[in-house]
Amino acid sequence: MITITKEDFEAVCPSGTTPDDSLLEQLRVAIADAHADIIRLLSVDFTEALPLEAALSEDATDDDMKMAQAVKKYVICKAYHEAVPQLDLVQTSTGFGVVSNQNVAPASADRVERLRRQLCKLYEGYLMDLLELARHREDIPEHTRGIFSESLFWHLKYFKLFGIAEPTLADRAKYWEAIYAGEYVVKHIISPEQFKALTGAVAYGRETETQIVAMRMCRNVVVAYAGKSDMQIFHRNALIQYLEEHPEDFPEYMGSSAYKAIHFTPYRNEKSDTCFFFG
């Protein structure tokens, strides 16, 4: 069972937003809801096997501890983010307030929204940390592993390729249709079988250095096609060249109809032919 203390909040939350004991109690429902997010993602058995009772002040000595800390950090920031609109950080007649020199002043809606955006970035980042750790585990549920098999853009950091300094899940939703279309192009270039081999390697945390380079080049193709960039052909040709320079690392592509189509040689008439073909 997850254990969240005031000290855990102090270790994670933005400065000046740590709840007191009474407010921490009000956050219990939001904490339970955020914890339920993780259970749906990783399953009850997997989540409850993590050392969630450990304090965030403890040093993470292994991957289980790292995952447990990522879970707790996510839960804290997600709970606070969801609860802020309904909470008074300081109970006043004017609502949500901040304390300054023993005086309580109502916080502006803009200030509250800035806090929520900050908390959102934090919990989404911790979610990415958790996924990065989870994909290396053999015992994660198949529906979780499917996140990595679905797309080469499973992590928010890849959305920086679209020129977004601090990508969010909202940005992912915004670009998802373009990514889906771009990855359809990539599958046509390298073959669906090779694309599946790449995402499968990611899903099990087994990608090689050459696969990592190829996936980076695939993402460049997607971004170029999504933005209708003049670099589309350049990135396409660079990807093909790289795969063919490492044939032993990309057997699915080398044996695919995509490879054969690129290297198809039309029939040429010979002097000894009894008839000639025109076309």
Side-chain angles (χ1 to χ4, degrees):
M1 184 62 183
I2 194 165
T3 303
I4 302 292
T5 66
K6 183 179 177 181
E7 289 69 30
D8 289 331
F9 268 88
E10 290 175 346
V12 177
C13 284
S15 177
T17 60
T18 304
D20 58 22
D21 292 337
S22 62
L23 190 56
L24 180 59
E25 186 59 34
Q26 295 180 54
L27 287 167
R28 292 300 177 191
V29 173
I31 288 172
D33 288 344
H35 186 209
D37 290 347
I38 301 301
I39 291 174
R40 284 191 292 271
L41 176 66
L42 296 175
S43 81
V44 174
D45 292 342
F46 186 97
T47 305
E48 291 188 349
L50 298 174
L52 297 175
E53 72 285 349
L56 289 178
S57 58
E58 296 183 32
D59 292 332
T61 56
D62 54 31
D63 284 348
D64 275 4
M65 179 67 86
K66 290 178 182 177
M67 290 189 70
Q69 291 190 346
V71 168
K72 294 185 76 169
K73 290 175 181 179
Y74 169 87
V75 167
I76 288 169
C77 292
K78 179 67 182 298
Y80 222 150
H81 173 270
E82 296 302 310
V84 161
Q86 291 82 37
L87 289 176
D88 295 322
L89 292 188
V90 178
Q91 299 291 340
T92 74
S93 60
T94 55
F96 194 91
V98 293
V99 178
S100 177
N101 298 323
Q102 305 302 316
N103 295 316
V104 177
S108 67
D110 181 63
R111 183 166 183 171
V112 174
E113 187 55 34
R114 285 202 304 272
L115 171 61
R116 295 193 76 226
R117 286 198 298 268
Q118 187 177 4
L119 290 168
C120 180
K121 289 177 183 178
L122 285 172
Y123 80 68
E124 290 183 351
Y126 295 135
L127 179 62
M128 294 300 108
D129 293 342
L130 181 58
L131 288 173
E132 181 65 64
L133 289 164
R135 73 186 182 90
H136 294 275
R137 296 280 296 260
E138 295 287 345
D139 54 342
I140 64 171
E142 286 305 308
H143 72 267
T144 308
R145 204 175 299 284
I147 294 172
F148 314 109
S149 302
E150 183 181 18
S151 171
L152 293 173
F153 286 80
W154 64 270
H155 198 292
L156 288 180
K157 64 185 177 183
Y158 300 129
F159 287 80
K160 292 183 178 180
L161 294 171
F162 289 98
I164 306 170
E166 296 182 325
T168 66
L169 291 176
D171 294 315
R172 184 181 187 273
K174 177 182 176 182
Y175 282 92
W176 190 246
E177 185 175 341
I179 288 170
Y180 182 83
E183 290 189 332
Y184 179 84
V185 172
V186 168
K187 291 174 185 177
H188 181 75
I189 295 170
I190 69 174
S191 80
E193 295 79 13
Q194 185 62 71
F195 187 88
K196 183 177 181 180
L198 292 176
T199 57
V202 173
Y204 285 89
R206 299 171 183 168
E207 64 269 40
T208 65
E209 288 300 318
T210 51
Q211 286 178 323
I212 290 171
V213 173
M215 286 186 283
R216 183 167 65 244
M217 299 177 82
C218 287
R219 293 187 191 101
N220 288 337
V221 172
V222 171
V223 173
Y225 274 83
K228 297 180 174 57
S229 166
D230 294 337
M231 298 293 287
Q232 292 177 16
I233 301 303
F234 170 82
H235 287 302
R236 173 188 178 276
N237 292 342
L239 173 59
I240 291 172
Q241 180 179 342
Y242 183 77
L243 297 183
E244 295 182 3
E245 286 174 351
H246 302 83
E248 69 283 359
D249 295 309
F250 306 105
E252 292 83 2
Y253 166 71
M254 298 302 297
S256 70
S257 57
Y259 174 85
K260 293 174 183 177
I262 291 172
H263 296 277
F264 172 74
T265 302
Y267 179 81
R268 293 185 178 182
N269 292 302
E270 302 290 341
K271 290 183 179 180
S272 58
D273 290 340
T274 56
C275 61
F276 284 81
F277 294 92
F278 297 91

